[in-house]
Amino acid sequence: MENYTSNITIIIPAFNAGRVLVRALDSVLCQTVQPVEVIVVNDGSTDDTQLVAETYARDHRLPLRVLSKPNGGVSSARNLGIQSAITEYVALLDADDEFESKHIESITAAIAVRPDSPLYWTGIARQFDDGGEAEAGSLPDFSAIAR
């Protein structure tokens, strides 16, 4: 698939995530389909999260905005990001996680097939920093609530 832009904003809530945030942002930068924008919400961090996000925004070809708020928890950070998004769709990425390279492509394809669906998801994989065995799986079947 060509590296075209989707109709998706990536929201990354970040609290004291300075040491892991670049990995998450790199995974967005490597997407086969790029988001319209990425919003990092600095949730009152006391480390270098703000500086890491601002430096990444300056140094990379990613449409990245950095918002800051007093610490209120991951849900309030996500909500601020969602309220600030300029697109119809949002994808949530925790600062200590990463997307596989075709994540946005997969979501964009699902939207094209079922544009009226209220929720889209893909499979998941867990990789442990200590070198432990990775797990692959999928999310629960949400079809009963997706109307």
Side-chain angles (χ1 to χ4, degrees):
M1 182 172 274
E2 292 182 22
N3 194 337
Y4 68 94
T5 301
S6 64
N7 187 21
I8 295 175
T9 295
I10 308 267
I11 309 294
I12 304 175
F15 174 73
N16 289 343
R19 68 176 190 83
V20 295
L21 184 57
V22 167
R23 183 179 68 178
L25 291 169
D26 282 347
S27 80
V28 174
L29 188 63
C30 292
Q31 291 296 297
T32 56
V33 173
Q34 290 295 302
V36 170
E37 66 175 340
V38 178
I39 300 174
V40 172
V41 181
N42 179 15
D43 188 30
S45 296
T46 57
D47 71 351
D48 63 346
T49 296
Q50 183 79 23
L51 178 62
V52 168
E54 290 172 349
T55 300
Y56 200 96
R58 183 189 68 230
D59 294 345
H60 293 82
R61 59 170 179 77
L62 195 63
L64 174 60
R65 287 193 288 151
V66 182
L67 306 178
S68 292
K69 60 180 270 324
N71 183 256
V74 68
S75 294
S76 68
R78 283 184 183 131
N79 287 339
L80 176 60
I82 291 167
Q83 291 167 355
S84 302
I86 63 171
T87 60
E88 183 177 359
Y89 300 100
V90 299
L92 304 174
L93 175 62
D94 288 343
D96 63 345
D97 289 339
E98 58 189 289
F99 285 153
E100 292 206 11
S101 64
K102 292 188 176 190
H103 180 72
I104 298 174
E105 180 179 335
S106 297
I107 296 296
T108 301
I111 291 169
V113 171
R114 295 284 310 267
D116 58 332
S117 183
L119 177 69
Y120 303 93
W121 65 91
T122 63
I124 60 171
R126 293 176 59 188
Q127 181 71 40
F128 300 98
D129 288 338
D130 64 2
E133 190 171 327
E135 297 176 12
S138 63
L139 295 174
D141 181 5
F142 293 111
S143 60
I145 62 168
R147 302 177 49 171

PDB file of all heavy atoms in Angstrom, residues 92-117:
ATOM      1  N   LEU A  92      -5.548   5.109  19.802  1.00  0.00           N
ATOM      2  CA  LEU A  92      -4.887   5.322  21.079  1.00  0.00           C
ATOM      3  C   LEU A  92      -3.622   4.474  21.153  1.00  0.00           C
ATOM      4  O   LEU A  92      -3.645   3.290  20.837  1.00  0.00           O
ATOM      5  CB  LEU A  92      -5.835   4.961  22.225  1.00  0.00           C
ATOM      6  CG  LEU A  92      -7.186   5.694  22.221  1.00  0.00           C
ATOM      7  CD1 LEU A  92      -8.075   5.152  23.318  1.00  0.00           C
ATOM      8  CD2 LEU A  92      -6.988   7.197  22.347  1.00  0.00           C
ATOM      9  N   LEU A  93      -2.539   5.102  21.575  1.00  0.00           N
ATOM     10  CA  LEU A  93      -1.263   4.420  21.731  1.00  0.00           C
ATOM     11  C   LEU A  93      -0.650   4.866  23.043  1.00  0.00           C
ATOM     12  O   LEU A  93      -0.411   6.059  23.240  1.00  0.00           O
ATOM     13  CB  LEU A  93      -0.318   4.764  20.566  1.00  0.00           C
ATOM     14  CG  LEU A  93       1.109   4.229  20.626  1.00  0.00           C
ATOM     15  CD1 LEU A  93       1.121   2.697  20.634  1.00  0.00           C
ATOM     16  CD2 LEU A  93       1.932   4.773  19.465  1.00  0.00           C
ATOM     17  N   ASP A  94      -0.418   3.935  23.948  1.00  0.00           N
ATOM     18  CA  ASP A  94       0.238   4.290  25.205  1.00  0.00           C
ATOM     19  C   ASP A  94       1.710   4.586  24.932  1.00  0.00           C
ATOM     20  O   ASP A  94       2.324   4.014  24.022  1.00  0.00           O
ATOM     21  CB  ASP A  94       0.101   3.166  26.233  1.00  0.00           C
ATOM     22  CG  ASP A  94      -1.323   3.046  26.771  1.00  0.00           C
ATOM     23  OD1 ASP A  94      -2.109   4.007  26.616  1.00  0.00           O
ATOM     24  OD2 ASP A  94      -1.645   1.997  27.342  1.00  0.00           O
ATOM     25  N   ALA A  95       2.293   5.460  25.725  1.00  0.00           N
ATOM     26  CA  ALA A  95       3.670   5.916  25.509  1.00  0.00           C
ATOM     27  C   ALA A  95       4.688   4.790  25.633  1.00  0.00           C
ATOM     28  O   ALA A  95       5.785   4.889  25.080  1.00  0.00           O
ATOM     29  CB  ALA A  95       4.002   7.038  26.486  1.00  0.00           C
ATOM     30  N   ASP A  96       4.346   3.720  26.331  1.00  0.00           N
ATOM     31  CA  ASP A  96       5.285   2.602  26.483  1.00  0.00           C
ATOM     32  C   ASP A  96       4.964   1.432  25.560  1.00  0.00           C
ATOM     33  O   ASP A  96       5.488   0.339  25.732  1.00  0.00           O
ATOM     34  CB  ASP A  96       5.353   2.140  27.933  1.00  0.00           C
ATOM     35  CG  ASP A  96       4.024   1.600  28.451  1.00  0.00           C
ATOM     36  OD1 ASP A  96       2.975   1.841  27.811  1.00  0.00           O
ATOM     37  OD2 ASP A  96       4.028   0.945  29.504  1.00  0.00           O
ATOM     38  N   ASP A  97       4.127   1.673  24.565  1.00  0.00           N
ATOM     39  CA  ASP A  97       3.758   0.651  23.589  1.00  0.00           C
ATOM     40  C   ASP A  97       4.212   1.091  22.205  1.00  0.00           C
ATOM     41  O   ASP A  97       4.696   2.204  22.021  1.00  0.00           O
ATOM     42  CB  ASP A  97       2.245   0.419  23.580  1.00  0.00           C
ATOM     43  CG  ASP A  97       1.754  -0.281  24.836  1.00  0.00           C
ATOM     44  OD1 ASP A  97       2.569  -0.923  25.519  1.00  0.00           O
ATOM     45  OD2 ASP A  97       0.555  -0.179  25.130  1.00  0.00           O
ATOM     46  N   GLU A  98       4.008   0.233  21.227  1.00  0.00           N
ATOM     47  CA  GLU A  98       4.312   0.604  19.855  1.00  0.00           C
ATOM     48  C   GLU A  98       3.357  -0.099  18.901  1.00  0.00           C
ATOM     49  O   GLU A  98       2.806  -1.146  19.229  1.00  0.00           O
ATOM     50  CB  GLU A  98       5.763   0.290  19.505  1.00  0.00           C
ATOM     51  CG  GLU A  98       6.159  -1.157  19.673  1.00  0.00           C
ATOM     52  CD  GLU A  98       7.651  -1.350  19.511  1.00  0.00           C
ATOM     53  OE1 GLU A  98       8.149  -1.229  18.374  1.00  0.00           O
ATOM     54  OE2 GLU A  98       8.313  -1.630  20.521  1.00  0.00           O
ATOM     55  N   PHE A  99       3.149   0.520  17.749  1.00  0.00           N
ATOM     56  CA  PHE A  99       2.335  -0.057  16.696  1.00  0.00           C
ATOM     57  C   PHE A  99       3.225  -0.872  15.766  1.00  0.00           C
ATOM     58  O   PHE A  99       4.352  -0.470  15.472  1.00  0.00           O
ATOM     59  CB  PHE A  99       1.678   1.031  15.839  1.00  0.00           C
ATOM     60  CG  PHE A  99       0.511   1.741  16.470  1.00  0.00           C
ATOM     61  CD1 PHE A  99       0.218   3.043  16.091  1.00  0.00           C
ATOM     62  CD2 PHE A  99      -0.310   1.134  17.394  1.00  0.00           C
ATOM     63  CE1 PHE A  99      -0.865   3.713  16.630  1.00  0.00           C
ATOM     64  CE2 PHE A  99      -1.390   1.797  17.945  1.00  0.00           C
ATOM     65  CZ  PHE A  99      -1.672   3.092  17.555  1.00  0.00           C
ATOM     66  N   GLU A 100       2.694  -1.979  15.252  1.00  0.00           N
ATOM     67  CA  GLU A 100       3.359  -2.648  14.143  1.00  0.00           C
ATOM     68  C   GLU A 100       3.186  -1.766  12.911  1.00  0.00           C
ATOM     69  O   GLU A 100       2.260  -0.958  12.834  1.00  0.00           O
ATOM     70  CB  GLU A 100       2.776  -4.039  13.947  1.00  0.00           C
ATOM     71  CG  GLU A 100       3.112  -4.951  15.112  1.00  0.00           C
ATOM     72  CD  GLU A 100       3.130  -6.410  14.736  1.00  0.00           C
ATOM     73  OE1 GLU A 100       3.091  -6.737  13.538  1.00  0.00           O
ATOM     74  OE2 GLU A 100       3.191  -7.212  15.674  1.00  0.00           O
ATOM     75  N   SER A 101       4.040  -1.933  11.919  1.00  0.00           N
ATOM     76  CA  SER A 101       4.115  -0.980  10.809  1.00  0.00           C
ATOM     77  C   SER A 101       2.838  -0.849   9.984  1.00  0.00           C
ATOM     78  O   SER A 101       2.629   0.170   9.340  1.00  0.00           O
ATOM     79  CB  SER A 101       5.280  -1.333   9.884  1.00  0.00           C
ATOM     80  OG  SER A 101       5.057  -2.591   9.281  1.00  0.00           O
ATOM     81  N   LYS A 102       1.968  -1.846   9.996  1.00  0.00           N
ATOM     82  CA  LYS A 102       0.739  -1.780   9.196  1.00  0.00           C
ATOM     83  C   LYS A 102      -0.508  -1.539  10.040  1.00  0.00           C
ATOM     84  O   LYS A 102      -1.632  -1.748   9.575  1.00  0.00           O
ATOM     85  CB  LYS A 102       0.576  -3.061   8.377  1.00  0.00           C
ATOM     86  CG  LYS A 102       1.622  -3.185   7.296  1.00  0.00           C
ATOM     87  CD  LYS A 102       1.335  -4.336   6.371  1.00  0.00           C
ATOM     88  CE  LYS A 102       2.367  -4.335   5.261  1.00  0.00           C
ATOM     89  NZ  LYS A 102       2.017  -5.269   4.203  1.00  0.00           N
ATOM     90  N   HIS A 103      -0.336  -1.059  11.261  1.00  0.00           N
ATOM     91  CA  HIS A 103      -1.487  -0.861  12.140  1.00  0.00           C
ATOM     92  C   HIS A 103      -2.497   0.122  11.548  1.00  0.00           C
ATOM     93  O   HIS A 103      -3.678  -0.193  11.419  1.00  0.00           O
ATOM     94  CB  HIS A 103      -1.031  -0.384  13.523  1.00  0.00           C
ATOM     95  CG  HIS A 103      -2.158  -0.169  14.464  1.00  0.00           C
ATOM     96  ND1 HIS A 103      -2.873  -1.214  15.016  1.00  0.00           N
ATOM     97  CD2 HIS A 103      -2.741   0.968  14.928  1.00  0.00           C
ATOM     98  CE1 HIS A 103      -3.828  -0.729  15.799  1.00  0.00           C
ATOM     99  NE2 HIS A 103      -3.770   0.586  15.751  1.00  0.00           N
ATOM    100  N   ILE A 104      -2.040   1.301  11.175  1.00  0.00           N
ATOM    101  CA  ILE A 104      -2.965   2.304  10.640  1.00  0.00           C
ATOM    102  C   ILE A 104      -3.522   1.852   9.291  1.00  0.00           C
ATOM    103  O   ILE A 104      -4.690   2.074   8.989  1.00  0.00           O
ATOM    104  CB  ILE A 104      -2.299   3.690  10.546  1.00  0.00           C
ATOM    105  CG1 ILE A 104      -1.898   4.165  11.948  1.00  0.00           C
ATOM    106  CG2 ILE A 104      -3.246   4.708   9.917  1.00  0.00           C
ATOM    107  CD1 ILE A 104      -1.107   5.443  11.954  1.00  0.00           C
ATOM    108  N   GLU A 105      -2.714   1.184   8.506  1.00  0.00           N
ATOM    109  CA  GLU A 105      -3.198   0.638   7.232  1.00  0.00           C
ATOM    110  C   GLU A 105      -4.350  -0.330   7.482  1.00  0.00           C
ATOM    111  O   GLU A 105      -5.373  -0.288   6.787  1.00  0.00           O
ATOM    112  CB  GLU A 105      -2.053  -0.078   6.516  1.00  0.00           C
ATOM    113  CG  GLU A 105      -2.440  -0.678   5.188  1.00  0.00           C
ATOM    114  CD  GLU A 105      -1.274  -1.364   4.495  1.00  0.00           C
ATOM    115  OE1 GLU A 105      -0.107  -1.024   4.753  1.00  0.00           O
ATOM    116  OE2 GLU A 105      -1.555  -2.259   3.683  1.00  0.00           O
ATOM    117  N   SER A 106      -4.214  -1.200   8.471  1.00  0.00           N
ATOM    118  CA  SER A 106      -5.263  -2.168   8.797  1.00  0.00           C
ATOM    119  C   SER A 106      -6.535  -1.477   9.266  1.00  0.00           C
ATOM    120  O   SER A 106      -7.642  -1.847   8.859  1.00  0.00           O
ATOM    121  CB  SER A 106      -4.776  -3.132   9.885  1.00  0.00           C
ATOM    122  OG  SER A 106      -3.692  -3.881   9.429  1.00  0.00           O
ATOM    123  N   ILE A 107      -6.380  -0.489  10.124  1.00  0.00           N
ATOM    124  CA  ILE A 107      -7.546   0.243  10.630  1.00  0.00           C
ATOM    125  C   ILE A 107      -8.220   1.009   9.490  1.00  0.00           C
ATOM    126  O   ILE A 107      -9.452   1.012   9.372  1.00  0.00           O
ATOM    127  CB  ILE A 107      -7.147   1.201  11.766  1.00  0.00           C
ATOM    128  CG1 ILE A 107      -6.633   0.417  12.976  1.00  0.00           C
ATOM    129  CG2 ILE A 107      -8.299   2.115  12.163  1.00  0.00           C
ATOM    130  CD1 ILE A 107      -7.653  -0.482  13.636  1.00  0.00           C
ATOM    131  N   THR A 108      -7.427   1.643   8.637  1.00  0.00           N
ATOM    132  CA  THR A 108      -7.978   2.388   7.499  1.00  0.00           C
ATOM    133  C   THR A 108      -8.750   1.457   6.563  1.00  0.00           C
ATOM    134  O   THR A 108      -9.833   1.809   6.074  1.00  0.00           O
ATOM    135  CB  THR A 108      -6.838   3.116   6.749  1.00  0.00           C
ATOM    136  OG1 THR A 108      -6.178   3.996   7.662  1.00  0.00           O
ATOM    137  CG2 THR A 108      -7.374   3.928   5.584  1.00  0.00           C
ATOM    138  N   ALA A 109      -8.233   0.263   6.343  1.00  0.00           N
ATOM    139  CA  ALA A 109      -8.929  -0.718   5.500  1.00  0.00           C
ATOM    140  C   ALA A 109     -10.244  -1.152   6.151  1.00  0.00           C
ATOM    141  O   ALA A 109     -11.267  -1.295   5.466  1.00  0.00           O
ATOM    142  CB  ALA A 109      -8.035  -1.930   5.252  1.00  0.00           C
ATOM    143  N   ALA A 110     -10.233  -1.345   7.461  1.00  0.00           N
ATOM    144  CA  ALA A 110     -11.466  -1.726   8.171  1.00  0.00           C
ATOM    145  C   ALA A 110     -12.506  -0.616   8.088  1.00  0.00           C
ATOM    146  O   ALA A 110     -13.700  -0.878   7.908  1.00  0.00           O
ATOM    147  CB  ALA A 110     -11.151  -2.059   9.632  1.00  0.00           C
ATOM    148  N   ILE A 111     -12.071   0.621   8.190  1.00  0.00           N
ATOM    149  CA  ILE A 111     -12.993   1.763   8.083  1.00  0.00           C
ATOM    150  C   ILE A 111     -13.609   1.795   6.687  1.00  0.00           C
ATOM    151  O   ILE A 111     -14.809   2.057   6.531  1.00  0.00           O
ATOM    152  CB  ILE A 111     -12.267   3.086   8.413  1.00  0.00           C
ATOM    153  CG1 ILE A 111     -11.920   3.130   9.902  1.00  0.00           C
ATOM    154  CG2 ILE A 111     -13.125   4.290   8.018  1.00  0.00           C
ATOM    155  CD1 ILE A 111     -10.975   4.258  10.288  1.00  0.00           C
ATOM    156  N   ALA A 112     -12.812   1.521   5.667  1.00  0.00           N
ATOM    157  CA  ALA A 112     -13.321   1.525   4.293  1.00  0.00           C
ATOM    158  C   ALA A 112     -14.400   0.465   4.090  1.00  0.00           C
ATOM    159  O   ALA A 112     -15.373   0.688   3.363  1.00  0.00           O
ATOM    160  CB  ALA A 112     -12.178   1.316   3.304  1.00  0.00           C
ATOM    161  N   VAL A 113     -14.239  -0.682   4.741  1.00  0.00           N
ATOM    162  CA  VAL A 113     -15.205  -1.773   4.601  1.00  0.00           C
ATOM    163  C   VAL A 113     -16.460  -1.519   5.428  1.00  0.00           C
ATOM    164  O   VAL A 113     -17.574  -1.791   4.989  1.00  0.00           O
ATOM    165  CB  VAL A 113     -14.558  -3.122   5.004  1.00  0.00           C
ATOM    166  CG1 VAL A 113     -15.584  -4.235   5.072  1.00  0.00           C
ATOM    167  CG2 VAL A 113     -13.446  -3.476   4.036  1.00  0.00           C
ATOM    168  N   ARG A 114     -16.302  -1.022   6.647  1.00  0.00           N
ATOM    169  CA  ARG A 114     -17.419  -0.791   7.566  1.00  0.00           C
ATOM    170  C   ARG A 114     -17.370   0.624   8.127  1.00  0.00           C
ATOM    171  O   ARG A 114     -17.080   0.829   9.307  1.00  0.00           O
ATOM    172  CB  ARG A 114     -17.354  -1.785   8.730  1.00  0.00           C
ATOM    173  CG  ARG A 114     -17.544  -3.242   8.388  1.00  0.00           C
ATOM    174  CD  ARG A 114     -19.008  -3.620   8.119  1.00  0.00           C
ATOM    175  NE  ARG A 114     -19.938  -3.177   9.131  1.00  0.00           N
ATOM    176  CZ  ARG A 114     -20.331  -3.900  10.170  1.00  0.00           C
ATOM    177  NH1 ARG A 114     -19.884  -5.118  10.340  1.00  0.00           N
ATOM    178  NH2 ARG A 114     -21.207  -3.408  11.029  1.00  0.00           N
ATOM    179  N   PRO A 115     -17.653   1.641   7.302  1.00  0.00           N
ATOM    180  CA  PRO A 115     -17.518   3.026   7.769  1.00  0.00           C
ATOM    181  C   PRO A 115     -18.493   3.400   8.891  1.00  0.00           C
ATOM    182  O   PRO A 115     -18.264   4.373   9.594  1.00  0.00           O
ATOM    183  CB  PRO A 115     -17.779   3.852   6.506  1.00  0.00           C
ATOM    184  CG  PRO A 115     -18.556   2.945   5.615  1.00  0.00           C
ATOM    185  CD  PRO A 115     -18.092   1.549   5.923  1.00  0.00           C
ATOM    186  N   ASP A 116     -19.523   2.605   9.084  1.00  0.00           N
ATOM    187  CA  ASP A 116     -20.525   2.912  10.104  1.00  0.00           C
ATOM    188  C   ASP A 116     -20.226   2.251  11.453  1.00  0.00           C
ATOM    189  O   ASP A 116     -20.946   2.454  12.419  1.00  0.00           O
ATOM    190  CB  ASP A 116     -21.907   2.474   9.629  1.00  0.00           C
ATOM    191  CG  ASP A 116     -21.954   0.988   9.300  1.00  0.00           C
ATOM    192  OD1 ASP A 116     -20.912   0.416   8.927  1.00  0.00           O
ATOM    193  OD2 ASP A 116     -23.039   0.395   9.399  1.00  0.00           O
ATOM    194  N   SER A 117     -19.161   1.496  11.556  1.00  0.00           N
ATOM    195  CA  SER A 117     -18.842   0.802  12.794  1.00  0.00           C
ATOM    196  C   SER A 117     -18.384   1.794  13.861  1.00  0.00           C
ATOM    197  O   SER A 117     -17.634   2.727  13.564  1.00  0.00           O
ATOM    198  CB  SER A 117     -17.749  -0.240  12.547  1.00  0.00           C
ATOM    199  OG  SER A 117     -17.496  -0.961  13.718  1.00  0.00           O
TER     200      SER A 117
END
